[in-house]
Amino acid sequence: MIDFNPILEDIEPSKEEVVKVRGLADKLKDIINKNANKLNINAEAVLLGSVAKNTWLSNGNSEEGKGLDIDVFIKFPLTTSLDDLKSQGLELAHKCVDEADGTYEERYASHPYLTGFIEGYEVDLVPCYDITDSSELKSAVDRTLLHTLFVVDNLGAEQTREVRLLKRFMKMVGTYGSEFKVGGFSGYLCELLVIRYGSFLKVLEGAIEEWKPGYRIDLMNFGTGAQFKDPLIVVDPTDQNRNVSAALTLQKMAEFRVAAGNFLENPKKSYFYPKTLKYDRETLRDAFKERKTHSVLLAFHTPNIPADALHPQIQKTEKSLVKILKNEDFKVMGSDSWSDEENTGIILLEMNTWKLTPFRKYSGPTVWDDDNTTRFLKKHPQSWVEGERWFTLTRREYQDAESLIQETLTPGGIRNLRVGKHLKKKLLEKYNLVDVLDLLIAEDADEDVMKFLYSYLHKNELLTRD
C-alpha cells in the first residue's frame, strides 16, 4: 500500500494556515458577540463545520475547490421568534462583515444567511436555534450544532487524517458533494463513515465487501433504518428519523464502489490529485462521428435561481424530453445536462434515430372482439389481420426528431413537457438546437462545454488512474 504521509502533507492545512483560520474565526466570533451585547441581542457566535471538527482540507485543496468555507453560526435561544432570529441574525452578520472589511452575498437555506468574503476565505454566517436535541429542531440548519458535537466527541484525533483522505479521494473521483448537481457524499457522511469503519482504507473495503442498494449503517442502534428507501442508509446519530445519505444517488454510490475497487486493486497517489483530461475539438468530433449517432445540444439561458433549484429543473426537463422522443419512436442512446449556473444551460441528446418513415404500424383489437373491431375498421378501413389481431398503418405526426423538439418548445407543446416554471419561461423566450459536430468545428467552442462533452463520452474517466 502507498505511503499516505506525502498526500496528507499536501491536503492538510499547515500550522500557519490553522493559526490564520482559527484566528479569523475567533475574530469574527468576537465581533458578533460584542455587537450582540451592545445591541442587547440574546445570541452567541460559535464555530461549527469542518474547521471546528478539524476535518477541513487546506485552502488550496478544499472540498468545493473554491477555497475553504468557515462556518460561523449565530445561535439564539429556543424562545426567540423566527422573525427575530432572521432580522437580528442578519443584522449581526452584516455588521460582522462590515467591521471585518469584507464583502458578502445574501443566500437562503431554511432561512436567509450571509456568505462573507473575508481575508481570502468564504465565511458562512448563519443564524440558528441553540438546540441540544433533535426534538427541539426548528430549521434544518440547527442540525449543524448537533453534527459538530457528535463528530468532535466520536472521531479520534488520528481519524481526522483519515477523513481528509476520504474527502480528497471522493473529490478527485467525482463523488464528493451532497448538492443536487453532484448527488454525492457530504462531509458529515464522510466523517460518519470513518467513525463506523475506522480508517480511509476500511471505508473502501467496506464499500466493496458490504455495500448493496439499501445497505444500512446505524451507529446508535436506533433500529429505524427500515423506514428509509434510499440507496445507502446512514441513520443520523443525532436524529433517528433522518438518513444522512438521503442526497446520495445510486449512480454516485456505484461510482464510489468502482473507484474504491480500482484503488484497492492498484493503489496510486494520483487518485488524490486532479486528473488531466486530454481532449480537443478534433478528437471529440472524431469520437462522436465514430459512434454514428446524431447528437444535438439544446442550449438556453438559465433563470436566476439558486443552483440547487436550477439543476433539478434542468434534469427533469432532460428526462421528460427523452420520454417524449421515445414515445414517438425516436430511439435515444443517451442524454445528459450541464450548466455554468450563471448564464447557460445545456441538454445533450444522443439519438440512434433522428428521422423516421412516414408511417407507423399500429395494433388494434383481436378479431374476437367484435365491438371494438367494428369501431377500429370504421376508423381504419385499410387494416389487416396478423395472427388474431388487426393492424393498420397510421401517418406519423413527426418524421424527424428536430420538428418534435421544436413543437414541444412552443407555448402549445410545452404543456406536455415536465419543466420547472422558471426554466419554462426561458425556453419559450429563446433556445438553440445545435448539432454537436457543427459545434466542434467552431474554433470558439466553449472550453467548459467541450469538457462536458468529453465527460459524457468517458463516463468512468475519473474512477481509475493509469
Side-chain angles (χ1 to χ4, degrees):
M1 189 53 68
I2 63 175
D3 179 7
F4 291 114
N5 286 315
I7 297 164
L8 285 162
E9 286 178 12
D10 288 335
I11 66 174
E12 279 189 308
S14 65
K15 289 180 180 178
E16 293 77 15
E17 190 175 356
V18 170
V19 169
K20 184 178 179 183
V21 169
R22 294 275 184 177
L24 176 59
D26 288 342
K27 171 184 169 183
L28 299 177
K29 286 194 304 177
D30 287 344
I31 292 172
I32 292 168
N33 291 334
K34 284 176 184 175
N35 280 323
N37 288 332
K38 190 187 301 182
L39 298 168
N40 199 27
I41 294 174
N42 190 359
E44 180 188 1
V46 290
L47 177 65
L48 301 179
S50 60
V51 175
K53 293 178 282 191
N54 196 32
T55 60
W56 50 293
L57 303 177
S58 69
N59 197 33
N61 293 287
S62 74
E63 293 96 297
E64 299 298 332
K66 300 175 183 176
L68 170 69
D69 284 341
I70 302 172
D71 297 317
V72 176
F73 278 53
I74 308 167
K75 60 181 185 178
F76 288 78
L78 288 168
T79 52
T80 310
S81 72
L82 184 58
D83 286 341
D84 283 347
L85 179 140
K86 290 178 182 177
S87 61
Q88 294 175 357
L90 284 179
E91 182 180 6
L92 291 172
H94 280 290
K95 284 182 175 295
C96 177
V97 175
D98 289 342
E99 290 185 32
D101 295 324
T103 59
Y104 67 85
E105 292 176 1
E106 192 163 311
R107 296 179 180 174
Y108 193 91
S110 303
H111 46 255
Y113 68 97
L114 291 192
T115 295
F117 305 94
I118 305 167
E119 297 181 16
Y121 294 96
E122 283 194 19
V123 184
D124 287 337
L125 300 164
V126 187
C128 71
Y129 284 102
D130 187 10
I131 65 171
T132 57
D133 185 86
S134 63
S135 63
E136 299 172 329
L137 199 71
K138 289 195 174 187
S139 71
V141 297
D142 301 343
R143 298 183 194 278
T144 310
L145 280 163
L146 304 182
H147 293 170
T148 301
L149 288 172
F150 182 85
V151 173
V152 168
D153 288 344
N154 291 275
L155 190 71
E158 281 300 307
Q159 287 180 316
T160 60
R161 310 184 89 205
E162 305 296 328
V163 171
R164 287 183 169 117
L165 288 171
L166 181 59
K167 284 184 177 182
R168 181 65 175 178
F169 177 83
M170 284 184 172
K171 180 173 171 54
M172 293 300 102
V173 300
T175 61
Y176 186 87
S178 59
E179 62 272 23
F180 195 94
K181 177 182 180 180
V182 180
F185 295 76
S186 68
Y188 180 48
L189 180 53
C190 289
E191 290 152 0
L192 294 183
L193 290 174
V194 170
I195 290 172
R196 161 65 176 82
Y197 288 102
S199 70
F200 163 68
L201 287 175
K202 283 186 166 38
V203 173
L204 269 56
E205 290 166 1
I208 294 297
E209 295 168 6
E210 300 173 0
W211 290 11
K212 296 283 191 302
Y215 183 74
R216 299 175 196 166
I217 295 173
D218 187 354
L219 294 174
M220 305 302 288
N221 297 315
F222 286 132
T224 55
Q227 69 179 282
F228 305 107
K229 305 301 179 188
D230 302 300
L232 179 65
I233 297 148
V234 181
V235 181
D236 192 335
T238 73
D239 184 351
Q240 63 180 354
N241 295 311
R242 177 175 180 266
N243 178 19
V244 177
S245 55
L248 178 66
T249 62
L250 184 62
Q251 176 75 28
K252 291 301 175 182
M253 180 183 174
E255 286 180 8
F256 174 69
R257 188 180 188 276
V258 170
N262 289 341
F263 178 83
L264 291 171
E265 187 176 331
N266 187 16
K268 292 184 176 182
K269 292 180 182 178
S270 53
Y271 277 93
F272 297 89
Y273 299 93
K275 186 172 186 178
T276 302
L277 305 180
K278 298 178 182 178
Y279 57 87
D280 53 44
R281 289 183 297 112
E282 289 75 15
T283 55
L284 286 174
R285 197 167 190 273
D286 289 345
F288 274 102
K289 285 176 71 174
E290 187 180 358
R291 292 159 83 101
K292 300 196 181 299
T293 52
H294 193 113
S295 297
V296 294
L297 294 176
L298 175 64
F300 47 87
H301 293 300
T302 53
N304 184 22
I305 56 176
D308 263 10
L310 174 64
H311 289 287
Q313 290 195 24
I314 294 177
Q315 290 181 24
K316 182 168 76 170
T317 305
E318 173 200 338
K319 289 178 173 62
S320 180
L321 197 52
V322 168
K323 185 175 181 181
I324 287 170
L325 286 161
K326 287 182 175 178
N327 286 344
E328 293 293 332
D329 291 344
F330 294 99
K331 294 181 180 178
V332 183
M333 181 171 173
S335 68
D336 204 349
S337 55
W338 170 87
S339 173
D340 63 7
E341 300 177 0
E342 293 181 0
N343 301 302
T344 305
I346 282 174
I347 293 173
L348 168 66
L349 299 166
E350 185 179 12
M351 310 291 298
N352 274 340
T353 311
W354 187 247
K355 292 186 177 182
L356 295 168
T357 56
F359 295 95
R360 67 193 298 180
K361 188 176 178 182
Y362 180 72
S363 68
T366 66
V367 297
W368 324 112
D369 185 350
D370 293 332
D371 290 342
N372 284 321
T373 290
T374 300
R375 283 191 286 270
F376 187 78
L377 292 178
K378 187 175 181 181
K379 189 175 180 180
H380 306 286
Q382 303 300 317
S383 301
W384 68 92
V385 174
E386 283 187 21
E388 62 172 3
R389 188 170 293 279
W390 289 101
F391 284 86
T392 191
L393 291 179
T394 58
R395 184 172 287 275
R396 297 183 188 279
E397 189 174 359
Y398 306 99
Q399 292 183 42
D400 62 272
E402 183 172 1
S403 62
L404 175 55
I405 295 169
Q406 290 173 338
E407 175 60 27
T408 301
L409 299 178
T410 62
I414 205 164
R415 65 173 141 250
N416 300 317
L417 186 68
R418 295 189 69 241
V419 55
K421 63 179 181 179
H422 302 96
L423 187 53
K424 177 180 178 180
K425 183 179 178 183
K426 289 294 183 181
L427 284 168
L428 288 174
E429 284 176 359
K430 184 181 180 182
Y431 68 86
N432 289 312
L433 198 61
V434 184
D435 189 300
V436 168
L437 296 182
D438 292 341
L439 174 78
L440 293 172
I441 291 175
E443 292 185 6
D444 59 348
D446 186 274
E447 183 69 25
D448 288 333
V449 175
M450 288 201 296
K451 183 177 179 181
F452 162 67
L453 293 173
Y454 179 87
S455 297
Y456 173 79
L457 293 172
H458 304 85
K459 298 185 192 303
N460 278 2
E461 181 79 7
L462 297 179
L463 304 184
T464 189
R465 297 295 189 272
D466 297 327

